[in-house]
Amino acid sequence: MKKGAILVLSGPSGAGKSTIINAASKEIGEYYFSISTTTRPPRVGEVDGKDYYFVTKESFEEDIKAGNFLEYAQVHGNYYGTSLKPVREALGQGKLVIFDIDVQGHRLVRAKMNDITTSAFITPPTLRELEHRLRARSTDDESVILRRIENAKGEIKALGEYDFTIINDNVEEAAKRFVVVAKAARLKQSQEDEEEFIRQWSATN
Amino acid sequence: MKKGAILVLSGPSGAGKSTIINAASKEIGEYYFSISTTTRPPRVGEVDGKDYYFVTKESFEEDIKAGNFLEYAQVHGNYYGTSLKPVREALGQGKLVIFDIDVQGHRLVRAKMNDITTSAFITPPTLRELEHRLRARSTDDESVILRRIENAKGEIKALGEYDFTIINDNVEEAAKRFVVVAKAARLKQSQEDEEEFIRQWSATN
């Protein structure tokens, strides 16, 4: 069976993940960008089915019970999760599925789909630079910025769990490195299941 | 400190590792190909310092005692190992160091230098194809071929321990995939030590 591959991206809000993906998108070929499901209310400008799937707490909890999430977590009172169905569909079509999830989510994806997963931690060169970027874009109020900084300090410690670190000190350079990571991730694609391959490999003699 | 990165290649004799590296060499930039040290006698045409460093058993065992090997093993009564010194030098110059070592050697390199190591298992598409290639090149007598086949059957089982599998059914395609793997390996290069990076990252605030 042809199957896709997974590329998990993590890193602090403000690391430039979206910018890097956009800058690299022409060179990385077709991919499916996984859209998270959340119970937090949409912010101004956010579109359901594009930024997130916005659902009620009740609906989210039903899906948890039904085992419909690849990973989920509760953050600051809101649920965030990745629904299995669209991911399975995209993988079945042999696509590269890109996730923008946190350290905790990465661990859960690894636990379930390690053999087809590649991961990269994207970070600004320093915490000071992160703070600068968060303030410059000024979409968040001070308490949110401070919370993001605290989160970042915690998340950076998990950097060693990732296959790659991309330090975003220059978008063009970071995008180039991202292209290599995405191509490497695709190498795990459309390959038979490992155990099956090993079995068939030896069986031909 | 600038440091290099390691790319470990394993796979059965006859998988086409050298052919792939040669086909890809223009695109992967400067690298240092690690030369193994062995106590087995040179075969016809083999050159000391190119194919292997050929040494005596006494000399090899002295180096073991002195801790001069990154990895070593005894196979069919002969020692094979990788001396630390040239590897350290090449890494210190920020080079990509490529190893052609077996499954056991890969585990030892992982244990010692995991953070800068990328690995790929290179294999012909089937055992039958391997056997065909081994007989076609006809440099080995029948007992050697049979031993290589038995080794291959054992080694293929460790495929899951590698970052990448490169199935060599077509040298051109395999070389393209190898270029991606080598570029991915280089991403781990000239990056600061992870713990040091994390410390400095947070210290700037």
Side-chain angles (χ1 to χ4, degrees):
Chain A
M1 193 196 88
K2 193 180 170 189
K3 64 177 182 183
I6 288 173
L7 175 53
V8 172
L9 304 179
S10 300
S13 180
K17 293 192 287 288
S18 317
T19 313
I20 289 171
I21 296 174
N22 287 338
S25 65
K26 275 181 199 159
E27 288 192 67
I28 63 175
E30 205 193 356
Y31 62 91
Y32 168 73
F33 189 85
S34 172
I35 298 161
S36 296
T37 301
T38 185
T39 59
R40 86 153 163 71
R43 294 187 195 132
V44 177
E46 282 185 339
V47 177
D48 183 52
K50 183 170 167 277
D51 298 294
Y52 284 95
Y53 296 113
F54 295 102
V55 300
T56 62
K57 198 180 169 192
E58 291 69 33
S59 155
F60 201 105
E61 289 178 341
E62 268 173 36
D63 277 345
I64 294 176
K65 276 185 206 147
N68 291 341
F69 285 108
L70 172 59
E71 57 86 29
Y72 73 93
Q74 220 169 352
V75 183
H76 310 303
N78 296 307
Y79 282 115
Y80 294 82
T82 305
S83 296
L84 264 173
K85 199 172 162 240
V87 172
R88 281 214 182 111
E89 279 175 9
L91 290 175
Q93 291 161 7
K95 283 186 186 156
L96 180 67
V97 180
I98 302 182
F99 291 88
D100 177 358
I101 51 180
D102 68 1
V103 165
Q104 202 178 351
H106 172 237
R107 285 181 195 138
L108 294 167
V109 172
R110 279 260 167 232
K112 287 189 187 166
M113 296 186 167
N114 187 49
D115 60 327
I116 56 166
T117 299
T118 301
S119 64
F121 193 92
I122 301 182
T123 174
T126 62
L127 183 57
R128 182 171 292 168
E129 175 62 20
L130 174 67
E131 196 175 343
H132 174 73
R133 290 186 200 173
L134 287 173
R135 292 193 195 284
R137 72 182 189 183
S138 68
T139 51
D140 305 312
D141 63 30
E142 186 61 20
S143 68
V144 174
I145 290 175
L146 292 178
R147 202 169 65 197
R148 288 195 196 284
I149 288 168
E150 279 314 301
N151 278 349
K153 279 183 182 173
E155 293 235 312
I156 194 95
K157 290 177 188 151
L159 186 136
E161 300 173 22
Y162 289 76
D163 295 319
F164 299 100
T165 308
I166 297 177
I167 299 169
N168 181 14
D169 42 5
N170 170 309
V171 171
E172 209 172 298
E173 282 305 312
K176 270 187 203 166
R177 291 193 287 266
F178 179 72
V179 169
V180 173
V181 170
K183 284 184 179 173
R186 275 195 200 277
L187 287 187
K188 301 199 173 176
Q189 192 172 2
S190 62
Q191 199 166 284
E192 302 297 319
D193 176 75
E194 264 170 17
E195 284 182 32
E196 179 60 18
F197 176 78
I198 294 168
R199 206 187 56 74
Q200 287 193 1
W201 193 88
S202 306
T204 54
N205 191 269
Chain B
M1 193 196 87
K2 192 179 170 189
K3 63 177 181 183
I6 289 174
L7 175 53
V8 173
L9 304 179
S10 301
S13 180
K17 296 191 286 288
S18 316
T19 313
I20 290 172
I21 296 173
N22 287 338
S25 66
K26 275 181 199 158
E27 289 193 65
I28 63 176
E30 204 192 356
Y31 62 90
Y32 168 73
F33 190 85
S34 172
I35 297 161
S36 297
T37 302
T38 185
T39 59
R40 84 151 164 73
R43 295 190 194 129
V44 177
E46 282 185 339
V47 177
D48 183 52
K50 183 171 167 275
D51 299 292
Y52 285 95
Y53 296 114
F54 295 100
V55 300
T56 62
K57 198 180 168 194
E58 292 66 35
S59 155
F60 202 105
E61 288 177 342
E62 267 173 37
D63 278 344
I64 294 175
K65 277 185 207 145
N68 290 341
F69 285 108
L70 172 59
E71 56 84 31
Y72 74 92
Q74 219 169 352
V75 182
H76 310 301
N78 295 308
Y79 282 115
Y80 294 83
T82 305
S83 296
L84 263 173
K85 200 173 163 239
V87 172
R88 281 214 182 109
E89 278 175 10
L91 290 175
Q93 291 161 8
K95 283 186 187 156
L96 180 67
V97 180
I98 301 182
F99 291 89
D100 177 0
I101 51 179
D102 69 0
V103 165
Q104 203 179 349
H106 171 237
R107 285 181 195 138
L108 294 168
V109 172
R110 279 262 166 229
K112 287 190 187 164
M113 296 186 167
N114 186 49
D115 61 326
I116 56 166
T117 299
T118 301
S119 64
F121 193 92
I122 301 182
T123 175
T126 62
L127 184 56
R128 183 169 293 169
E129 174 63 19
L130 174 66
E131 196 175 343
H132 172 75
R133 290 187 199 173
L134 287 173
R135 293 194 193 285
R137 71 181 190 185
S138 68
T139 51
D140 305 312
D141 64 30
E142 185 61 21
S143 68
V144 173
I145 289 176
L146 292 179
R147 202 169 66 198
R148 288 196 196 283
I149 287 169
E150 280 314 301
N151 277 349
K153 280 183 181 174
E155 292 235 312
I156 194 94
K157 290 178 189 151
L159 185 136
E161 298 172 23
Y162 289 75
D163 296 320
F164 300 99
T165 308
I166 297 178
I167 299 169
N168 181 15
D169 41 7
N170 170 307
V171 171
E172 210 173 297
E173 282 304 312
K176 271 187 201 166
R177 292 193 285 268
F178 179 72
V179 170
V180 173
V181 170
K183 285 185 179 173
R186 275 195 201 278
L187 287 186
K188 301 198 174 175
Q189 192 171 2
S190 61
Q191 198 166 284
E192 302 298 319
D193 177 75
E194 265 170 16
E195 282 181 33
E196 180 60 17
F197 176 78
I198 293 169
R199 206 188 56 73
Q200 286 193 2
W201 193 88
S202 307
T204 54
N205 192 269

